[in-house]
Amino acid sequence: MKEFFEVLQKGVSISIQDNGRNGFRHLGIPVSGAMDKLAYQIGNLLIGNKLNAASIEIAIGGTVLKALNQFSIIITGGNLKPAINGKLVEMNKIIDIAKGEILTFNGGNTGVYSYISVPDGITSECHFESQSSYESASLGLIVKKGTIIYGSSPSYKLVKYGLKHKYIPVYPRHNLVHFIKSSHFEKIPNHIKSQILSEPLTIGTFNRMGMYLSSKNANLEPFDSNILSEGTTFGTIQVLPTGQPIILLADSQTTGGYASIGTVIYSDLWKLVQMQRGTTIQLIPVEINEASHLNKKLHLFLKHLQIECRNKER
């Protein structure tokens, strides 16, 4: 192993994330994993890693890291104004960081989550077949001030290139977010659904477990949303007894006792999690076939990017 970073300041949030703990929800273990899987996978592709290699996830800003060796990195996702020794660095491009240099994330220009990917991925504790940090249950490496983050020394030479401008994800202040209706959809009163679906919803407080939404133009009305607990997932849209909608995210519980409107489709999750507080989304119901089409488009984009990266390495 090789020492990569010392955490001088944790900031709002820093964790190690990969694709998550898939296959353990029946045991009550959240999947966790990268919040924005698109940005996380782009970083791994560009630096020559497997798609599931562990990366460092930074949220919002305030994180300060000291490089303990010289190595290459790429920073993808939300633009949190990353800087080395006070000088802003280019994102979505492989860069070198020297021993002793200080990498800082100063707060969001656009987006919420940034990813630092390194050759061969981060080396850290693995629990339930994943390195993902899940602080509530002390799973994976729990990063705090003074933590040393390790990696390995790749045996191959990196080809230094970046992501083409046309492929760089955009994080606007308003987004359409598609979802598939749940079995409760028709049972939720029409006036509640109308308030939630007919106008933009404002992003409120959020963390890796969930995101609160509010209505700008109407007072959400309470209703009896309690149900027998049932399975939930990353993207489940629940309605609280107050009438307020919340969307469960990567670290969410595995079951829930509130009625749900539906589940955000996989290909829109990356857009959702990068919405800053105070920005807005419009929830749009879609049928299974359209959701499958949109998910396939995202998969084909990553496949195309993977092919381009391989061609550049030749």
Side-chain angles (χ1 to χ4, degrees), residues 197-211:
L197 300 179
S198 64
E199 60 187 40
L201 297 171
T202 302
I203 307 298
T205 57
F206 60 86
N207 56 26
R208 283 185 51 88
M209 290 190 69
M211 171 184 287

Side-chain angles (χ1 to χ4, degrees), residues 117-178:
S117 299
V118 300
D120 288 342
I122 297 298
T123 302
S124 63
E125 300 172 35
C126 186
H127 296 132
F128 295 97
E129 301 176 11
S130 171
Q131 294 173 234
S132 290
S133 304
Y134 178 55
E135 191 165 353
S136 297
S138 297
L139 297 177
L141 176 65
I142 307 306
V143 182
K144 57 188 73 172
K145 183 177 180 180
T147 295
I148 305 299
I149 298 175
Y150 293 87
S152 59
S153 300
S155 57
Y156 54 90
K157 185 176 181 180
L158 283 176
V159 178
K160 301 277 180 72
Y161 56 83
L163 188 62
K164 290 181 180 178
H165 183 75
K166 65 179 180 179
Y167 294 151
I168 296 175
V170 177
Y171 308 118
R173 294 189 61 81
H174 178 74
N175 251 322
L176 301 181
V177 175
H178 302 88

Side-chain angles (χ1 to χ4, degrees), residues 17-242:
Q17 300 296 337
D18 54 22
N19 269 335
R21 295 182 174 84
N22 297 291
F24 297 97
R25 291 184 71 85
H26 66 291
L27 300 176
I29 298 172
V31 173
S32 297
M35 287 281 275
D36 180 353
K37 281 193 168 57
L38 177 60
Y40 154 75
Q41 290 175 328
I42 286 173
N44 275 327
L45 281 176
L46 290 175
I47 209 158
N49 294 343
K50 294 180 180 179
L51 282 177
N52 63 346
S55 300
I56 302 171
E57 180 182 273
I58 309 288
I60 299 176
T63 299
V64 180
L65 305 173
K66 179 180 180 180
L68 300 179
N69 276 289
Q70 180 168 336
F71 51 95
S72 296
I73 63 172
I74 187 167
I75 303 171
T76 57
N79 186 346
L80 306 184
K81 299 178 184 175
I84 293 178
N85 291 347
K87 183 178 179 181
L88 291 175
V89 297
E90 193 170 354
M91 296 186 59
N92 301 294
K93 181 179 180 180
I94 297 174
I95 57 175
D96 289 327
I97 186 167
K99 183 177 181 178
E101 289 189 321
I102 305 297
L103 174 62
T104 57
F105 291 82
N106 300 302
N109 260 350
T110 60
V112 176
Y113 295 95
S114 283
Y115 295 87
I116 306 172
S117 299
V118 300
D120 288 342
I122 297 298
T123 302
S124 63
E125 300 172 35
C126 186
H127 296 132
F128 295 97
E129 301 176 11
S130 171
Q131 294 173 234
S132 290
S133 304
Y134 178 55
E135 191 165 353
S136 297
S138 297
L139 297 177
L141 176 65
I142 307 306
V143 182
K144 57 188 73 172
K145 183 177 180 180
T147 295
I148 305 299
I149 298 175
Y150 293 87
S152 59
S153 300
S155 57
Y156 54 90
K157 185 176 181 180
L158 283 176
V159 178
K160 301 277 180 72
Y161 56 83
L163 188 62
K164 290 181 180 178
H165 183 75
K166 65 179 180 179
Y167 294 151
I168 296 175
V170 177
Y171 308 118
R173 294 189 61 81
H174 178 74
N175 251 322
L176 301 181
V177 175
H178 302 88
F179 73 95
I180 298 171
K181 296 177 183 178
S182 75
S183 59
H184 309 144
F185 187 85
E186 300 303 332
K187 301 174 185 177
I188 296 174
N190 286 332
H191 66 279
I192 298 287
K193 287 186 291 193
S194 177
Q195 287 182 340
I196 293 173
L197 300 179
S198 64
E199 60 187 40
L201 297 171
T202 302
I203 307 298
T205 57
F206 60 86
N207 56 26
R208 283 185 51 88
M209 290 190 69
M211 171 184 287
Y212 285 87
L213 306 173
S214 61
S215 172
K216 278 187 175 180
N217 303 318
N219 294 318
L220 295 171
E221 296 183 27
F223 85 110
D224 184 8
S225 67
N226 292 293
I227 60 169
L228 291 175
S229 288
E230 66 177 23
T232 59
T233 190
F234 189 173
T236 297
I237 309 166
Q238 292 183 321
V239 183
L240 302 180
T242 60

